[in-house]
Amino acid sequence: MKTEIDQIKKNIESFYIKTHQDVEKFRIEFIGKKKGIIPFLLKKLKYLSIENRKIYGQILNDLKVQVNKKIQSFDFKKKSSYYTHQCKKSFDTTIPGKYSEIGSLHPLSILKNRMIDIFSNIGYSYVDGFEIEDDWHNFTALNIPFDHPSRDMHDTFFLCENKNVLMRTHTSSVQIRYMKQNKPPLKILSIGKVYRNETISSRSNFMFHQAEGFYIDKKVSFSDLKKTIHYMIDSILGNIKIRFRPSYFPFTEPSAEIDIFYNNEWLEIMGCGMIDPEVLNNVHINSEMYSGFAFGIGLERLALIIYNIKDLRIYFDNDIRFLSQFRSELY
Ligand code: DAH
């Protein structure tokens, strides 16, 4: 049986198929119900020992699969060349196009693209991070040790029992990933989804988008940070009053939160600060030589203000009445 099978395998491989008739011949010769060699041998299996029956049964079935694949690949090639031929024949570039409705970008994508643009104007490169992170990049390297109370602010989704793998709770992990692999000067913007185990309401969700920016070089100062934040808010929200309020983040020192004056009240919109030298040391950047600032901002919140939206659940309802309002903004 073995030599017979080896021969069949060779015959399948070398069978030259050019036309539909060849396909039919090929099919009948190998898997045709009446004359096909494979069904014939499958019938003979019952004369073999149980062990051999299993072995050869498997081999013959694999051959059948191989035959079918060869038939399908011929069909596919044929069809695609048929369609290209048809297209060539009937495509007239002078006929005006039919009107079809153009979709629109999601407001959060519009804002994301706008931010990338705003920051690329002042020399920032855009990078993507990972949504699944490990403890070190999301917490420890950012000066948030295991027993640190600030971990409580990030109600974390863990992906395995030892709590090492998790959905990132903020985009600050991108700082660590990028600084580990690149030497200053660095001017980076990253935007993406972050996850926290929070109850869904008009003001919070278990998933939201953050933009993270950081700049590291010799002699970067807090006034550079202030200028950059003013430039960003000005570019996105226009002329609006803002204030820096002292705050605390484990990975920046000093840290600040930024409020904007909106609807007659101060509204907190983002966090920022000078990167803590300990964080630079963690990624082997010489903190005596380099300094830097970082900031993080939630896109959903910001878009609420830009578009005067009242409830952030609407972003992910997929309601066409909401989404189609952004059609004119082809950013
Ligand atoms: N990662 C912080 C958060 O999610 C936001 C943040 C604050 C980012 C200060 C920064 C920063 O880069 O400097 O709450």
Side-chain angles (χ1 to χ4, degrees), residues 170 172 175 196 210 212 249 251-252 271-273 294-296:
H170 55 174
S172 300
Q175 289 183 34
R196 292 184 198 176
Q210 272 189 341
E212 185 87 16
F249 297 102
F251 37 90
T252 43
C272 62
F295 54 87

Side-chain angles (χ1 to χ4, degrees), residues 137-301:
H137 291 88
N138 195 82
F139 291 124
T140 310
L142 284 159
N143 252 351
I144 316 177
F146 188 68
D147 49 1
H148 199 282
S150 83
R151 285 205 185 199
D152 298 344
M153 298 190 311
H154 297 218
D155 230 335
T156 311
F157 289 117
F158 294 101
L159 294 177
C160 65
E161 262 179 44
N162 72 11
K163 298 198 166 179
N164 188 35
V165 187
L166 44 90
M167 301 306 291
R168 68 173 173 192
T169 59
H170 55 174
T171 41
S172 300
S173 52
V174 179
Q175 289 183 34
I176 301 300
R177 290 221 170 257
Y178 200 81
M179 291 194 280
K180 229 173 49 172
Q181 302 210 319
N182 299 277
K183 293 277 154 268
L186 305 172
K187 256 184 165 179
I188 296 298
L189 178 75
S190 184
I191 299 177
K193 296 188 175 81
V194 302
Y195 299 82
R196 292 184 198 176
N197 189 4
E198 281 184 25
T199 315
I200 300 174
S201 73
S202 62
R203 300 247 110 202
S204 65
N205 205 337
F206 67 90
M207 183 280 290
F208 58 100
H209 294 73
Q210 272 189 341
E212 185 87 16
F214 56 97
Y215 173 35
I216 302 168
D217 203 346
K218 288 174 185 157
K219 297 197 180 127
V220 174
S221 67
F222 200 88
S223 75
D224 295 319
L225 167 62
K226 278 189 93 170
K227 267 187 273 176
T228 307
I229 301 292
H230 274 285
Y231 162 75
M232 177 185 91
I233 303 283
D234 246 28
S235 313
I236 297 175
L237 297 175
N239 198 4
I240 197 166
K241 242 208 265 179
I242 73 171
R243 73 175 179 198
F244 283 68
R245 186 166 37 81
S247 181
Y248 169 76
F249 297 102
F251 37 90
T252 43
E253 177 58 38
S255 306
E257 258 161 301
I258 290 154
D259 303 331
I260 58 170
F261 198 66
Y262 178 70
N263 278 348
N264 270 334
E265 55 178 346
W266 287 106
L267 192 69
E268 173 199 318
I269 56 157
M270 65 185 289
C272 62
M274 299 306 291
I275 299 176
D276 193 308
E278 203 45 42
V279 173
L280 297 179
N281 295 340
N282 287 341
V283 288
H284 307 298
I285 290 179
N286 185 346
S287 57
E288 309 257 295
M289 195 189 293
Y290 292 105
S291 55
F293 64 71
F295 54 87
I297 183 165
L299 293 201
E300 276 81 349
R301 272 275 185 95

Side-chain angles (χ1 to χ4, degrees), residues 54-112:
K54 264 195 201 157
I55 296 171
Y56 288 111
Q58 177 69 49
I59 296 177
L60 288 169
N61 277 321
D62 288 348
L63 285 181
K64 247 171 135 178
V65 172
Q66 198 183 336
V67 170
N68 279 318
K69 270 195 186 152
K70 192 158 173 160
I71 293 173
Q72 272 163 18
S73 78
F74 173 80
D75 256 16
F76 175 73
K77 273 190 225 144
K78 256 291 180 268
K79 270 188 196 140
S80 51
S81 65
Y82 171 77
Y83 287 127
T84 359
H85 181 66
Q86 286 293 306
C87 284
K88 267 190 204 137
K89 252 196 344 197
S90 59
F91 191 69
D92 179 349
T93 49
T94 60
I95 297 172
K98 269 192 198 159
Y99 174 78
S100 64
E101 224 169 83
I102 301 172
S104 53
L105 285 181
H106 190 279
L108 294 174
S109 305
I110 295 171
L111 181 54
K112 175 180 172 178

